[in-house]
Amino acid sequence: MARITLEDLNELDDESLDEDEEPMDGEEQNRLFSHWETVASTHQVTLPQEMAGPIVQMTQHNQAREPVPSVTLSQHEKCEEVAYEERMYPAGKWACITKGEPMYEQSISMGFMKLMRYICKENSIGRYLGMTVPVLNEIHLSKEGTELLPDVITAYYLPGEFQLNPPLPMDPEIHIRERPPLHVITRVFYGTTTEETILREINLLWELLGSVDTVLRDTYMVAAYENPGIPQRRNEIWFIRRAD
């Protein structure tokens, strides 16, 4: 399965439903699923029928997305534009899954497809939990720093109402983790997220920072915010400050 991500699910903005609108009928649901089969096929993926329900739910709720809480510590400009900024994310509970497919796009897609089902119904309370952004993809580089290692951790932040008592996942591959506070240096980039573009963005941010000993060099995060139907959609590369 490849690149059926959170961003893909919002591609049908014109077809999405407000909560006050009537539920989709069978014909509309079939049309929606057929659309995603086409999307999947362009990524060399077969979309399983079990994704029909979660796709409808995510499409209906695509306007209600809770931001992951954070505090901006500083912004750094270059040529009168923000080149990068530092943020602090508090400790919190995340639903995480690790996938190690041949391609980065495949790993994040397979991971998020499972998280989708957890978010929509396959949890201990059997209800839609709500979407948060960004979805994080934790990546690791080879010792040479020239390629991504296969394992990618895809993480979904539990909405505020579930932070104290997270619904348990039905899927044994999904784990609820209490992540410590995260201090990151973050730079926005636009477009697709592939191994090539990610490595390029990592190198660009290192050029801006210069020599910094307080940042991890083997672990990074890619934050996904927007719909891939937007040609210049927003993503971020995150460098992680070492804990004191």
Side-chain angles (χ1 to χ4, degrees):
M1 198 164 291
R3 298 202 68 207
I4 308 299
T5 67
L6 163 66
E7 299 130 320
D8 282 327
L9 294 171
N10 294 320
E11 189 171 67
L12 297 182
D13 285 342
D14 293 338
E15 300 176 41
S16 64
L17 300 178
D18 293 330
E19 291 189 14
D20 295 335
E21 293 187 72
E22 292 296 323
M24 290 184 186
D25 61 25
E27 183 177 344
E28 288 177 306
Q29 292 186 28
N30 289 337
R31 183 169 60 87
L32 181 61
F33 186 78
S34 294
H35 170 83
W36 287 113
E37 281 188 312
T38 301
V39 173
S41 67
T42 65
H43 300 145
Q44 301 181 18
V45 172
T46 299
L47 188 66
Q49 186 64 41
E50 64 190 24
M51 291 307 301
I55 286 172
V56 169
Q57 280 193 286
M58 296 290 275
T59 302
Q60 289 176 324
H61 292 91
N62 72 343
Q63 298 302 320
R65 296 184 291 177
E66 179 181 324
V68 178
S70 67
V71 175
T72 299
L73 303 176
S74 62
Q75 293 184 329
H76 303 264
E77 295 187 352
K78 183 176 182 180
C79 300
E80 300 184 350
E81 293 185 355
V82 175
Y84 62 93
E85 64 181 44
E86 294 201 40
R87 291 191 211 123
M88 179 65 74
Y89 288 82
K93 293 184 175 67
W94 297 72
C96 303
I97 185 168
T98 302
K99 288 293 181 181
E101 302 302 314
M103 296 174 62
Y104 169 79
E105 298 94 321
Q106 293 173 326
S107 293
I108 63 173
S109 298
M110 294 185 72
F112 190 72
M113 289 285 279
K114 283 178 170 281
L115 288 175
M116 265 184 65
R117 295 196 288 272
Y118 166 68
I119 293 165
C120 288
K121 192 173 181 179
E122 293 182 15
N123 55 67
S124 57
I125 61 174
R127 54 162 278 201
Y128 179 74
L129 303 182
M131 195 61 230
T132 60
V133 289
V135 169
L136 297 183
N137 295 291
E138 181 178 320
I139 58 173
H140 303 272
L141 266 60
S142 62
K143 290 183 179 180
E144 299 77 19
T146 56
E147 61 182 1
L148 304 185
L149 298 181
D151 284 355
V152 178
I153 300 173
T154 299
Y156 153 77
Y157 182 82
L158 273 296
E161 67 175 301
F162 300 117
Q163 280 292 310
L164 291 179
N165 188 22
L168 298 177
M170 308 302 288
D171 189 328
E173 289 189 74
I174 299 174
H175 303 280
I176 305 300
R177 296 183 182 175
E178 172 79 35
R179 289 196 164 201
L182 190 62
H183 184 176
V184 299
I185 300 173
T186 163
R187 175 176 166 81
V188 174
F189 68 100
Y190 296 91
T192 59
T193 54
T194 65
E195 180 167 354
E196 180 182 1
T197 59
I198 289 167
L199 289 172
R200 182 186 69 220
E201 294 301 325
I202 288 173
N203 289 330
L204 285 173
L205 186 48
W206 274 120
E207 289 178 9
L208 288 168
L209 291 178
S211 179
V212 178
D213 294 333
T214 58
V215 173
L216 300 180
R217 286 187 171 269
D218 59 351
T219 302
Y220 302 87
M221 292 187 179
V222 181
Y225 287 86
E226 290 184 321
N227 167 3
I230 300 172
Q232 292 300 309
R233 62 188 179 271
R234 178 189 173 194
N235 310 285
E236 291 176 345
I237 193 74
W238 289 8
F239 284 18
I240 304 168
R241 288 280 194 190
R242 298 180 187 277
D244 294 335

